[in-house]
Amino acid sequence: SGLAAGSTDLSISNVETLRMDNVGTNGALQMDNLAVTSMRFDSGAASTETITLTDIASTINTFSFLGAGTADADLLFDAVTFDYDVTATQAAATITVNNGGATADDISIGKLDMNRIEAITITATEIGAAAADQLTIAEIEADHTTDIVVSANGELVLSDLDTALLDTLDLSAADDGATVTNLRLYADALTVTMGDGNDVVISTENNNAATMTIDLGTGKTAVQLVAGYE
């Protein structure tokens, strides 16, 4: 099904979790009068659609991306734009990713675009253990975020990080290695902490004033700096 943000706001009260199930097209949801405490996004047939949540209240800061619990399934989750209805930054948002109690294979999430949040914590479990299995997040765009922490019980791929104020990227709890394929915008002083696996960080930020400090962890870490960004 699809979503459209109509001229009249929806109104929901006395509901803890708003569940987005089987959204098959791009769409928007006006969140002004939705008094929920958390949101859940179910896996679907693709990760190419974008769900836009407009005017989110600052009290909604817990999100989950959940599979149906089918073992060895490839999970696909839509991209989500989180548009908070606040002018000040909010302290934190948490995102949980799993397959509802069974180990999946690949887990793929589209772009996560989140404004007005200072710290984002992503906890992913039930990623497949085969060599080709991984959690892939297509992009994280977060204009006001200074800290991102990602833990994963399998291999982690962050395809694109567009985070102008990011000064802390903690991937130390990515158990089977982490790959950041395009770290393209971050603060002038960034600390990256890696974990026990084999890790790769590719930075395309072309800023001579910026410094990056990397804690290599106990695994092997490759760092590549690519000139020519913008």
Side-chain angles (χ1 to χ4, degrees):
S1 60
L3 288 173
S7 58
T8 303
D9 292 348
L10 298 173
S11 180
I12 295 178
S13 58
N14 300 318
V15 173
E16 290 187 2
T17 302
L18 177 62
R19 179 176 176 180
M20 311 294 287
D21 181 22
N22 194 30
V23 177
T25 61
N26 296 326
L29 185 63
Q30 177 58 256
M31 299 285 292
D32 262 339
N33 297 316
L34 300 189
V36 299
T37 57
S38 64
M39 293 195 65
R40 167 179 169 174
F41 304 92
D42 286 2
S43 59
S47 59
T48 54
E49 295 85 23
T50 298
I51 300 171
T52 300
L53 306 175
T54 62
D55 294 342
I56 305 173
S58 60
T59 53
I60 305 174
N61 52 29
T62 303
F63 305 94
S64 58
F65 291 78
L66 302 184
T70 302
D72 303 322
D74 289 328
L75 306 184
L76 301 172
F77 295 98
D78 291 324
V80 181
T81 297
F82 306 86
D83 180 17
Y84 277 89
D85 186 24
V86 293
T87 56
T89 57
Q90 306 301 301
T94 62
I95 297 173
T96 300
V97 182
N98 63 56
N99 190 31
T103 300
D105 283 346
D106 280 325
I107 301 177
S108 299
I109 302 175
K111 177 181 178 179
L112 302 178
D113 186 345
M114 182 175 288
N115 71 344
R116 301 296 176 186
I117 297 295
E118 295 176 6
I120 299 173
T121 299
I122 301 173
T123 302
T125 57
E126 299 172 348
I127 305 166
D133 293 339
Q134 60 193 29
L135 166 65
T136 301
I137 301 177
E139 181 178 352
I140 298 177
E141 180 176 348
D143 293 342
H144 305 93
T145 297
T146 59
D147 295 67
I148 293 177
V149 179
V150 184
S151 64
N153 75 319
E155 184 179 352
L156 170 67
V157 177
L158 298 177
S159 297
D160 197 337
L161 284 179
D162 184 356
T163 48
L165 300 181
L166 186 70
D167 58 29
T168 300
L169 177 61
D170 186 348
L171 307 178
S172 59
D175 292 346
D176 291 337
T179 298
V180 181
T181 57
N182 187 12
L183 179 55
R184 64 186 176 96
L185 195 61
Y186 49 86
D188 285 346
L190 171 65
T191 298
V192 180
T193 304
M194 314 306 289
D196 296 341
N198 296 331
D199 307 306
V200 176
V201 179
I202 300 175
S203 171
T204 56
E205 168 69 288
N206 188 17
N207 179 0
N208 291 333
T211 61
M212 184 190 302
T213 302
I214 298 182
D215 181 339
L216 301 180
T218 60
K220 298 179 180 178
T221 300
V223 180
Q224 180 179 358
L225 303 179
V226 180
Y229 172 67
E230 295 185 342

Coordinates of all heavy atoms in Angstrom, one line a residue, residues 43-44 66-68 70 73-77 98-99 104-109 126:
S43 N 9.9 -5.5 7.2 CA 10.6 -5.7 6.0 C 9.6 -6.0 4.8 O 8.5 -6.4 5.1 CB 11.5 -7.0 6.1 OG 10.8 -8.1 6.5
G44 N 10.0 -5.7 3.6 CA 9.2 -5.8 2.5 C 9.9 -6.4 1.3 O 10.9 -7.1 1.4
L66 N 12.1 -4.5 11.7 CA 12.0 -5.9 12.1 C 11.5 -6.8 10.9 O 10.6 -6.5 10.2 CB 11.0 -6.0 13.2 CG 11.2 -5.2 14.5 CD1 10.2 -5.5 15.5 CD2 12.6 -5.5 15.0
G67 N 12.2 -8.0 10.8 CA 11.7 -9.0 9.9 C 10.6 -9.8 10.5 O 10.2 -9.7 11.6
A68 N 10.1 -10.8 9.6 CA 9.0 -11.6 10.0 C 9.3 -12.8 10.8 O 8.5 -13.6 11.1 CB 8.2 -12.0 8.7
T70 N 11.4 -15.3 9.6 CA 11.7 -16.4 8.8 C 13.2 -16.6 8.7 O 13.9 -15.7 8.3 CB 11.1 -16.1 7.3 OG1 9.7 -15.9 7.4 CG2 11.4 -17.3 6.4
A73 N 16.2 -15.6 5.8 CA 15.5 -14.7 4.8 C 16.4 -13.5 4.6 O 17.2 -13.1 5.4 CB 14.2 -14.2 5.4
D74 N 16.4 -12.9 3.3 CA 17.0 -11.7 3.0 C 16.0 -10.6 3.4 O 14.9 -10.5 2.8 CB 17.4 -11.6 1.6 CG 18.6 -12.5 1.2 OD1 19.4 -12.7 2.1 OD2 18.6 -13.0 0.1
L75 N 16.3 -9.6 4.2 CA 15.4 -8.6 4.7 C 15.7 -7.3 4.0 O 16.8 -6.9 3.9 CB 15.5 -8.4 6.2 CG 15.4 -9.7 7.1 CD1 15.4 -9.3 8.6 CD2 14.1 -10.4 6.8
L76 N 14.6 -6.7 3.5 CA 14.7 -5.4 2.8 C 13.8 -4.4 3.5 O 12.7 -4.6 3.7 CB 14.3 -5.6 1.3 CG 15.1 -6.6 0.5 CD1 14.5 -6.8 -0.9 CD2 16.6 -6.1 0.3
F77 N 14.4 -3.2 3.8 CA 13.7 -2.2 4.5 C 13.8 -0.9 3.7 O 14.8 -0.5 3.2 CB 14.2 -1.9 5.9 CG 14.1 -3.1 6.8 CD1 15.1 -4.0 7.0 CD2 12.9 -3.3 7.5 CE1 15.0 -5.1 7.9 CE2 12.8 -4.4 8.4 CZ 13.8 -5.3 8.6
N98 N 16.4 -6.3 13.7 CA 16.5 -7.8 13.8 C 15.5 -8.5 13.0 O 14.7 -7.8 12.3 CB 16.5 -8.2 15.3 CG 15.1 -7.8 16.0 OD1 14.1 -8.2 15.5 ND2 15.2 -7.1 17.1
N99 N 15.5 -9.8 13.1 CA 14.5 -10.6 12.3 C 13.5 -11.3 13.1 O 12.9 -12.3 12.8 CB 15.3 -11.7 11.5 CG 14.4 -12.4 10.5 OD1 13.5 -11.8 9.9 ND2 14.7 -13.7 10.2
A104 N 18.6 -14.2 10.1 CA 18.4 -13.9 8.7 C 19.6 -14.2 7.9 O 20.6 -14.8 8.4 CB 18.0 -12.5 8.6
D105 N 19.6 -13.8 6.6 CA 20.8 -13.8 5.8 C 21.2 -12.3 5.7 O 21.7 -11.8 6.7 CB 20.5 -14.4 4.4 CG 20.5 -15.9 4.4 OD1 20.9 -16.5 5.5 OD2 20.0 -16.5 3.5
D106 N 21.1 -11.7 4.5 CA 21.4 -10.3 4.4 C 20.3 -9.5 4.9 O 19.1 -9.8 4.9 CB 21.6 -10.0 2.9 CG 22.9 -10.3 2.3 OD1 23.9 -10.2 3.1 OD2 23.0 -10.7 1.2
I107 N 20.7 -8.3 5.5 CA 19.7 -7.3 5.9 C 20.1 -6.0 5.2 O 21.2 -5.5 5.4 CB 19.7 -7.1 7.4 CG1 19.3 -8.4 8.1 CG2 18.7 -6.0 7.8 CD1 19.3 -8.4 9.7
S108 N 19.2 -5.4 4.5 CA 19.5 -4.2 3.8 C 18.5 -3.1 4.1 O 17.3 -3.3 4.1 CB 19.4 -4.4 2.2 OG 20.4 -5.4 1.8
I109 N 19.0 -1.9 4.4 CA 18.1 -0.8 4.8 C 18.5 0.4 3.9 O 19.7 0.7 3.6 CB 18.4 -0.3 6.2 CG1 18.1 -1.5 7.2 CG2 17.5 0.9 6.6 CD1 18.4 -1.2 8.7
E126 N 20.8 -10.8 14.7 CA 20.2 -11.9 13.8 C 20.6 -11.7 12.3 O 19.9 -12.0 11.4 CB 18.7 -11.9 14.0 CG 18.3 -12.3 15.4 CD 16.9 -12.1 15.7 OE1 16.1 -11.6 14.9 OE2 16.5 -12.6 16.8

